[in-house]
Amino acid sequence: MPLLDALPLAASASNLLAAREQMAFTLGFHIVLSCLGVALPATILIANWIGLKKGDEAALELAKRWSKAMAVTFAVGAVTGTVLTFEFGLLWPHFEERFGAAFGVAFAIEGIFFFLEAIFLAIYIYGWKRLSPWAHFWSGMPMVITGIGGAFSVVAANSWMNQPQGFTLDAAGKVVDVEPLKVLINPATGYEVPHMILAAYMVVGFLVASIYAVGMLKGRRDRLHRLGLLIPLTIGLIATPIQLFVGDTAARAVADHQPAKFAGMECIQETGGHQTEYVGGICTHDGVKAAIPIPDLDSFLVGFSPSAKVIGLNDIPADERPPANTLLHLAFDTMVGIGTALLFLGLWLAWSWWKKRDIPKTPWFLRAVAVSGAGAILALWCGWIVTEVGRQPWIVQGYMRTEEAVTEASGIWFSFGLVLVVYAVLGGVAIAVLRGMSRRWREQGAEPEAEGPYAPQAGATS
């Protein structure tokens, strides 16, 4: 009998792990595509504007090529986003059942923004050679607005999970009296939303620039490659210092409103002042091992004073402490470390541009840009590890534990395996299509089409 009694608990634990792993994988895949949907439209339009304002055919060619690449990533993102939507109901049915009336409004709004962006992306791509130059440029502007609006809606839902408000629970535990504005504009929205939008612009800026940096390292030093590097790289480098400021503000807000998350990511065991900041290391009950200690810095960053009090894990109930503190701590350090490295990359470019009106001549600069795209994506993933792992064991902070939300259905490990296969095929096809497009563009060479991107096609109407 004891063994039989333990079987449901084992099945529940297995489901929880499988659901977490599947959600983490699909979110990690989709979030990179989401960043492209948020920030690539602005990158395209900046190139388009330069091309129109300065008569720069290379800039117009970049805008045209990037818009075609975005069509591919947007299509893949539509598939992976749909999978995530179904996963909320399939993997976490009790979460949907209990709190769907509250946070569902954010996803409804996101759906509207998504379809609007799809419509205007189609108009923009179709408009090459069919619309007048400036009419075509302005037809793409709604993509920028809808991309940011979609990001706001989704991240507002996640912010609400971290600091829920705008609803009442009746005696039966059912959500009533929902106030949509309070759900969307919760205390965490103010720092999570700009943090994610800036992250999207950093990912797109450094990722696109890294592609052209690789090309320049291979000897392609034409104007198209220089602009292909400078336009997105400038966007990423402008976003970076703003992101570091927003991230610093967010960390202090987390220390105030989610002390368990902050204590976990900083490996703070005992409440008190004069808290040491540890760079790297392994979190243990006896302190942080194999780390670089910086005395008093943690307290200073939280309260601008070495004696500022920071809550430690000893004041958090054992069953409410986040798991995997070493993972949480290293993810946070990696995110901050990469952001700092990208800031120095920006200073390097700014110094060279101020002195010589040119990028640094050394190949090491191009090598640094070439790896910056992967670094930005890694920092993005680490940021979401901090956000999601740090909130555990809660799926809705203070109201519902993650283990209470997971499905009891069998076969979750099978569905996870199936998702891995499907996403591998989907990702492989997307990469193959993008590489094929890139190959055709290389064969075409750096020169844009002879008739120009706004020359009318035969039979086309303007």
Side-chain angles (χ1 to χ4, degrees), residues 98-369:
R98 187 175 181 190
F99 289 104
F103 77 88
V105 63
F107 286 100
I109 295 172
E110 191 275 336
I112 295 172
F113 279 122
F114 171 80
F115 284 113
L116 286 174
E117 184 172 8
I119 291 168
F120 283 102
L121 174 60
I123 292 172
Y124 184 81
I125 293 174
Y126 185 77
W128 289 108
K129 301 187 179 182
R130 291 177 173 84
L131 296 174
S132 65
W134 283 108
H136 177 251
F137 171 82
W138 288 109
S139 74
M141 193 59 67
M143 294 190 299
V144 179
I145 299 169
T146 53
I148 292 174
F152 169 85
S153 304
V154 171
V155 180
N158 184 268
S159 303
W160 176 86
M161 293 164 70
N162 284 291
Q163 295 191 47
Q165 66 169 29
F167 66 95
T168 303
L169 292 180
D170 64 15
K174 184 179 179 180
V175 171
V176 295
D177 299 328
V178 175
E179 300 178 71
L181 283 179
K182 285 190 174 181
V183 170
L184 293 171
I185 313 297
N186 57 74
T189 302
Y191 59 85
E192 276 201 35
V193 169
H195 201 47
M196 181 61 220
I197 292 174
L198 287 165
Y201 276 86
M202 288 177 66
V203 166
V204 169
F206 291 112
L207 180 60
V208 176
S210 69
I211 295 170
Y212 289 89
V214 171
M216 293 182 74
L217 284 169
K218 292 180 178 179
R220 305 184 192 112
R221 300 299 179 100
D222 49 78
R223 177 163 179 76
L224 187 139
H225 277 80
R226 284 176 57 82
L227 276 179
L229 181 142
L230 280 171
I231 292 172
L233 184 60
T234 301
I235 293 171
L237 294 177
I238 290 172
T240 298
I242 305 172
Q243 178 71 305
L244 290 174
F245 172 77
V246 171
D248 179 64
T249 303
R252 279 194 295 277
V254 169
D256 290 338
H257 300 292
Q258 292 180 287
K261 177 186 289 188
F262 188 84
M265 70 191 201
E266 293 286 22
C267 296
I268 299 171
Q269 298 297 327
E270 301 289 334
T271 299
H274 298 282
Q275 296 285 357
T276 298
E277 174 77 22
Y278 291 99
V279 180
I282 300 171
C283 303
T284 71
H285 294 297
D286 298 324
V288 185
K289 309 298 184 183
I292 301 173
I294 307 176
D296 296 339
L297 182 60
D298 216 357
S299 288
F300 184 82
L301 292 175
V302 170
F304 301 108
S305 169
S307 60
K309 179 182 176 181
V310 183
I311 295 176
L313 292 171
N314 67 307
D315 277 345
I316 308 296
D319 63 345
E320 295 182 10
R321 297 173 187 170
N325 283 346
T326 296
L327 171 65
L328 193 58
H329 174 64
L330 293 179
F332 180 72
D333 281 3
T334 300
M335 176 183 65
V336 174
I338 292 174
T340 304
L342 294 176
L343 176 65
F344 281 111
L345 179 62
L347 294 174
W348 190 0
L349 175 62
W351 175 263
S352 178
W353 200 262
W354 179 53
K355 288 290 187 180
K356 304 174 183 178
R357 284 286 185 263
D358 200 359
I359 65 174
K361 296 296 186 182
T362 171
W364 285 106
F365 176 77
L366 292 176
R367 293 185 185 115
V369 176

